[in-house]
Amino acid sequence: MNWTSPGEFFAMGGYSTYVWGSVLVSAAALCAEWFFLRGRRKAALSHVKRELTLRKEHSDETST
């Protein structure tokens, strides 16, 4: 496709609603995935930290 102006580019040959809607939904999905992954990572790290603390406490109790 050849666009002679920015307006023609953004109009996408009359399919702008579908094209830009798809771009928007994809960007929103990527942002949501990043947000949820960050939360799961934080939860996993806190779980590992808690487990290590409990193991250390348990090993200190058994060694005394």
Side-chain angles (χ1 to χ4, degrees):
M1 295 186 116
N2 293 327
W3 295 288
T4 58
S5 71
E8 285 183 15
F9 171 75
F10 290 112
M12 290 287 168
Y15 295 101
S16 62
T17 304
Y18 304 110
V19 173
W20 297 116
S22 298
V23 169
L24 182 64
V25 168
S26 297
L30 287 172
C31 289
E33 182 66 20
W34 176 78
F35 178 77
F36 292 129
L37 281 173
R38 193 175 72 168
R40 287 195 306 254
R41 180 181 183 272
K42 186 177 178 181
L45 288 175
S46 68
H47 178 74
V48 168
K49 185 177 179 181
R50 187 170 46 249
E51 286 289 324
L52 289 174
T53 303
L54 289 173
R55 285 185 186 186
K56 185 177 183 305
E57 289 175 358
H58 180 70
S59 67
D60 289 345
E61 290 174 0
T62 58
S63 66
T64 57

